[in-house]
Amino acid sequence: MRGPDPEPVAGPAPRTIEGASLIGQRISKLDAPDKASGRARYIHDLNLPGQLHAKIRRSDRLHARIVSIDTSRAAALPGVHVILTAQDIPQRGLGVNKDNPALKGEKVRSLRDEIAAVAAETPEIAAAAARLIEVQYEDLPAITDAAAARAPGAPLLHDNKPGNLALTFDYEHGDVALGERESDFVVEDTFRLHYVTHCCMGVSGMIAEFQPNGRLLLYSNTQVPFLHKREFAEILEMDPGDIRIIQPPIGGGFGSKLDIYPFEPICVFLARAARRPVKLVYTREEEFIASPTRQPVILTLRSGCRKDGTLTFRTCTTLHDNGAYTSWGATTPFVMMQTISSLYRLPHCRYHTDAVYTNNPYAGSFRGYGNLQATFAVEQHMDRLAEAAGMDPLSFRLKNAQDPGETSLAGLHFRTCGLKDCLRTAAERSEFPVRHRRAAAARNDGSRVKRGVGMASMLHVGGGAKIYPSDGCGTILKLDDFGRVTVMTGASEIGQGSETVIAQLVCEELGLPMSAVTVVNNDTDITPWDVGVHASRTTFIAGNAAIGAARLAREKILRAAARLAKSDVDSLDLHAGNIIRKNDGEIVMPFAKLLRALHFSEQADLVMTSFYYEPPSKHQDKTFKGDVSAAYAWATQVIEVEVDTDTGMVRLLKVTAAHDVGRVLNRLGIEGQIEGGIVMGQGYAVTEDLVIENGVCRNPAFRDYKLVTAPEIPEMDISFIETMDGEGPQGAKGVGEAPAICVAAAVANAIYNATGVRICALPYTPERVYRALHAAGAG
Amino acid sequence: MNSPAAYLVPASVDEAAGALSRGNATVLAGGTDLMPQANQGVRVFRHTLININRIAELKAVSRSGDWLRIGALVSVTDLLQNSTLRGICPMLAETADHFASDQIRNAATVGGNLCNASPAGDLSPPLLALDASVEMACHRDGRLQRRSLPLDQFFLGPRRTALAENELLTAVQIPLPPPRHYGRFFKLGIRPALDIAIISVALAGVLENRKLNRVRVAFGAVAPTPLRARRAEALLEGRILDEETIRAAAQAAREEVTPITDVRASAWYRSEMVSSMMRRLLHEAAGA
Ligand SMILES: Cc1cc2nc3c(=O)[nH]c(=O)nc-3n(C[C@H](O)[C@H](O)[C@H](O)COP(=O)(O)OP(=O)(O)OC[C@H]3O[C@@H](n4cnc5c(N)ncnc54)[C@H](O)[C@@H]3O)c2cc1C
């Protein structure tokens, strides 16, 4: 629980023999001093000797055949070294459907399409040259509406994709027709989810350099360095072993850096052609226009329950606007299906998605991966059904919530499950039942400013997600003669604090202070394999890998100590940088001294260990069933809002959140993660809107793309439900995505509670809310 | 972005006006409009860039006779913090409190806000409601000349003003508000600050016995220029602020504005908000 927290500590708390531990302490992020003081060197700050700067020339048309590209005026500009067009590089498609060649030669399909690229002495020259490239187009009819794209006779974006269908997903359990017959109440709505984008403070970027020995060195912001080695190798027709990826500190990822995008191979091809290092970093405007968005979705949900509140069935169909090319956004149904099928106990379920090509921007992965969209729909229906059945939202959810040990019909096995505790805790701390009743009763009291509370819960993977052949992570530990530990982990730090938590878990095992650890996590030539930062997996998977390696080191050290001190291994322990006797805490010898004794002895040895952790989860079968994660995270958030009916302005007053996190490892870190996630969810719900009109982004700047700023951040009350997951590192589960997921749904329910008007489209900008109130006669 | 060929930093209004009289110059105050516009390529620097920030006279706030004089370089932070200003024109402080962020407020100037002539510029409605005039200076016949113009004649269109190419805006002059003067500013944006107004409105007058006299109503972001709602003013003048008067004035204001639809809001919503915010401000005045 929040409240009387332990005092902040600079280093670790002093440990007593009884075992005060680092777990649950408030530990500052290891990279905080560098970042807070502006000393972190992001990719923007890196410059290699001889480096050129790249600029991409993008399409001016939504959908057109390229008739000709004339680069002669651009090439004549002094300072221009290389200009590439499609004919200079292999036409190999990137992305999920391999439909996205890095440079487009025949056709453009959206305004972000890459047509040519320039490498020049300065960014200004590169930009000027890119503008001088003359492209002749022959316009084709454009489609910017997903429903229209599916209509018979609609122009095709990709010749080999009939019906403009990029991907489809189908899932089913039980018999929804039977479920509907058994229902006393049925509700149906169509929900419209908009475009938003990640807004990483560190925009996309890369520096590519071919080394004299032919190897390729990439400085990259990617969240998936090891997967990228393989991807780059394929595109560049290189041996993956010849690619080294170094990640400078990454200024935020949130999923945006999870796929390979055209700019990356473009940068490498420029470097290859120029025989010079090439740097390509987006401008903010480019980041808005050409980096991925969250998946926009039109979702129709039909749900039913019995008189007593038991859920009977759900049918969900979604239309995903795939944009012109297929990146991870189109695969969000993997996660959406879990929420539709398994957030509550549900006997009958059917799910269908069509992802269709349009000439709009394409979506990528984004914190929550479809779950914000699915939860927005499901949790509003929980409230609607509760109301229909004459129950309050809390009891209705409790009735349908699952218990530890249950397996959902989609095959998700909940070894631990804190949903009921989350529901009760959030409701109790927010006084939800009385406030909800009071607000509903006061709806028609004539006041212009109304208050309401809304509740929503969520389910998300919390123990990795077995999507790739392996969901594992490797760790190497190196202990030196001075008792210092270097942890080499495959897990990338993208601002989420994984580096700190990994160090903390290692220190916990080895009885060392945080100051004894260095984490190396950004160089594929050094660190062992990891699948990447996604699916809230890093603390769980990389944490378990780190613990595994630390335990091997601990064993080795204790065995050596027992040998030297001529005592029994079981009688010794590691504590505060020493080897101690377990029974009385007496120091046997300092940790560093033992390492030296081991090193400079007859059987000279160093303590170095490695461990690879693979979670015991399973791949889903062809019907999308299976226990895909080693643990599942749960949460309930209650949000109190104020709705100004004169303007439609919605203000968030208070968020009461209860999260099943398994166990709190770094309290400061997890609070930051949850607070940040809530604010991101708030932006999605209320202020952020990437306006795409007829394929054109109308607000590619922070002036009109509105992130939440400090004054709008509501009061937060965060409770941690510690279910101590048996598989988690020290009992913890993943929490990276969870806090953002149910904010919009809770806000939707709160607006309804305040006004009696349900609004099924986001975001809740003043105009949208005002219009809805006006239409309902409540404004 | 192009680069200016010459850069001047005059120390006096006379010097600046002299430089301006040679033509082909761009004036730089806080730069918070000029620089983003130049970076975006929507604004081109002329031959000479004249940085006016070292002209002490332009930073002064002074009272003389029945007038308050606010130098063109007075910053938005000054509007919030200068005690003379706060005392005389609390409405300007209220406006400044919804203006941008601290960093921008420190740099942004009153003169720059008016010369930029954005229909959504925050300082225009309250200054219109305070009957402000602008003072301009130029060289004519080799001599420094000053003229004054009521602010409501200053705005000619979006980004167009009555300022001549060779003129410098030197100050804003406000008649000292009479006793019982009442003034409120309201800005509607998605965020409470750091946002461009969807609409803004200023209401001022002498408030006595639930009646407003010398009523001024001014709107931003609802027409090509910031504008006075004169019909609404006439309907309110001297009347008890009862339901009927308030409704009539709100309706009149709505008919006086000509908003557009853009990425921030639709014309319909802006019109609705004009009457809605008008009603709210008038109800507050009635209860004050
Ligand atoms: C992030 C951000 C947020 C903003 N938020 C707001 C907001 O909330 N409300 C708002 O109203 N504005 C806002 N602005 C716009 C801007 O800050 C204001 O309009 C500001 O008052 C401009 O003043 P300045 O001194 O920076 O003008 P400058 O940019 O220096 O100049 C603006 C224009 O006026 C001319 N000029 C300036 N001074 C004179 C003079 N004395 N004589 C003749 N010509 C002159 C310049 O040549 C230029 O054309 C914002 C801007 C940014 C970048």
Side-chain angles (χ1 to χ4, degrees), chain B residues 27 29-34 43 99-100 108-109 112-113 115 122 169 187:
Chain B
V27 171
T32 60
D33 277 319
L34 184 61
R43 178 79 190 259
F99 194 110
T109 65
N113 195 262
C115 291
D122 280 345
L169 191 141
K187 171 180 174 181

Side-chain angles (χ1 to χ4, degrees), chain A residues 500 634 762:
Chain A
T500 309
W634 304 87
L762 285 178

